[in-house]
Structures are given as C-alpha cells and as structure tokens.
Amino acid sequence: MAKLNWLKADLHVHTVLSPCAELEMGPKNVVAAALEQNLDILGITDHNAWANVAAVAELAYTEGIAVIPGIEVQTREEVHILCYFPNLDQLALAGEQIYARLPPIGNKPDIFGDQIIVDAKENIIGYEETMLLNSVDLSLEEVRDLTYNYGGIIIPAHVDRPAFSLIANLGFVPPNLQPAALEISSRLDEITAVKEFPILKEHTLITSSDAHRLDDFNTLRSTFFYVAAPTLAELALACAGRKNRKVVIAPQDTVF
Ligand SMILES: [Zn+2]
Ligand SMILES: [Zn+2]
C-alpha cells in the first residue's frame, strides 16, 4: 500500500504574466516564497494563460516543490474557475483552446501593467499582447468539458467573494458542474464559510492565497492534502475522499 503523507499546498498563485500581479512575482521570488511557507505543492494559475508555468515548475523542482500546472479561466459568466492538468502538455493543449476564445483586445501596459513571459532564469522571453483580464467565450460547462478532456479537474475560485465567483454570479453550484472542490478565501474557516454560504456544505473545500504579490503568500490558513504523491491524480482522490486520501483546511503553521 502506498504510504500517505500530509503535504501543504497553495494551488492558486499568479506570476508576472497576470497584468494584476506585481513585478516581484517572477519564478525565483515565487519559489522562494513557497519555500518560506513550507509548501510542498504549488499551483500556478495565471488569468487565461499559462506561459510561465514551465519556468516556475523547473525552478520549483530543484527545491523539491511540485508544481501543479493550472490556469484561472474567466468564463462567459464572468466566473473565475481554476483548471488543473496532470502535466504541462495537457495544460498547453487545453490552454490554447481557452486562450483562443479571448476577445481580440490588446493589453494597455500603462494602465494594467505588462504581461511578462519569462524563463526559469527570469530572462524576459516575451510580452503577452492580448489583454488577459477578460472573459473567454466559453461557458462554465464548456470549460469543464475541455478540462476533463485533457485529464484535468476544476475548482471554482474564491467562491465567497462578491465578484467573479460562482456563488456571487450564479448564486448556486450547477448540479452537473461536478467540481473537485470549491476554493474559499483564507480569511474564512470551514465552519464560518458554511454558515455564511450553506451551499458549501455539500462540497469539498480548499483555500489558497490567490497571491498577486509576495506578501499574499502569508495566509491565515492553508490546504493540507493527505496523499501518496504531489500529483494531480492524488489531489483528485483527496478531494473525493477516496482510498484514504483526504484534504483539510487548517491554520497555516499546522504540523501534522
Ligand atoms: Zn480570480
Ligand atoms: Zn487568481
């Protein structure tokens, strides 16, 4: 039987590719912040794009941190949904199709900030010119299907927030959506979250930093997975509560 361990995760982190993220969110600083927080698993999830995931993954690997390849999609309903994939190839295949559905509107760097693509050594290898902070022309269900087609899972982001969230925009979790979990802000513990939003009771919850700057990594609570390995397949089992895997939200300095 596989040996199970508690692994600390932050599955929602932006890089300099996201126009709203600070310039300090390059791979070196992101990985250093993840080390400081004793993270075992890092999810890199830029808005509607994924070009910096490989750079962070390469660097994180050398520090013993696993990167789960991801993307934070803004759907046609203006809902933010985190899509995670088993590897970079699957992310790129799905990501191409998501990115292709962005409206053809250019970024205005002086207003929104640059959308910078880097390598693991933080050389700038390009600038994303399409404005990433827009809704793609895909419904929630279409994003779900696309993600599932490439072996991924979906986790609606920051569902307790008053904007760009499943609960704020739709008021409910569509029964056929079947998310692996729902993400709540780290200001909430699970009991308070369920009190505020009773609908959450039926779902597995995780929390993440949604870091856009380095200070954001320092959250009140973190997500801990009891799994055999830091892989997407294991995280999915934990979210489903299968094969003795589990996931809990606990104060960020919890040692199991
Ligand atoms: Zn978001
Ligand atoms: Zn985000």
Side-chain angles (χ1 to χ4, degrees), residues 180-238:
L182 302 178
E183 183 200 70
I184 57 172
S185 306
S186 66
R187 68 176 177 90
L188 289 173
D189 62 75
E190 283 179 88
I191 293 167
T192 312
V194 169
K195 232 182 243 169
E196 272 188 48
F197 306 97
I199 203 171
L200 301 183
K201 200 165 71 183
E202 294 146 39
H203 295 273
T204 299
L205 301 180
I206 69 159
T207 191
S208 322
S209 68
D210 193 6
H212 286 74
R213 59 182 65 221
L214 293 171
D215 282 348
D216 294 342
F217 275 94
N218 191 15
T219 53
L220 271 179
R221 296 177 186 79
S222 298
T223 301
F224 297 84
F225 288 93
Y226 189 59
V227 287
T231 62
L232 185 75
E234 284 288 321
L235 302 193
L237 284 175

Side-chain angles (χ1 to χ4, degrees), residues 4 35 61 128 162 189 193 204 208 224 247:
L4 303 179
L35 275 174
Y61 181 76
E128 172 55 53
D189 62 75
T204 299
S208 322
F224 297 84
V247 54

Side-chain angles (χ1 to χ4, degrees), residues 12 14 47 72 80-82 157-158 161 163-164 183 210 212:
H12 185 170
H14 292 267
H47 293 289
E72 182 174 21
H80 285 188
I81 184 158
L82 299 158
H158 43 68
R161 285 210 206 138
F164 298 113
E183 183 200 70
D210 193 6
H212 286 74

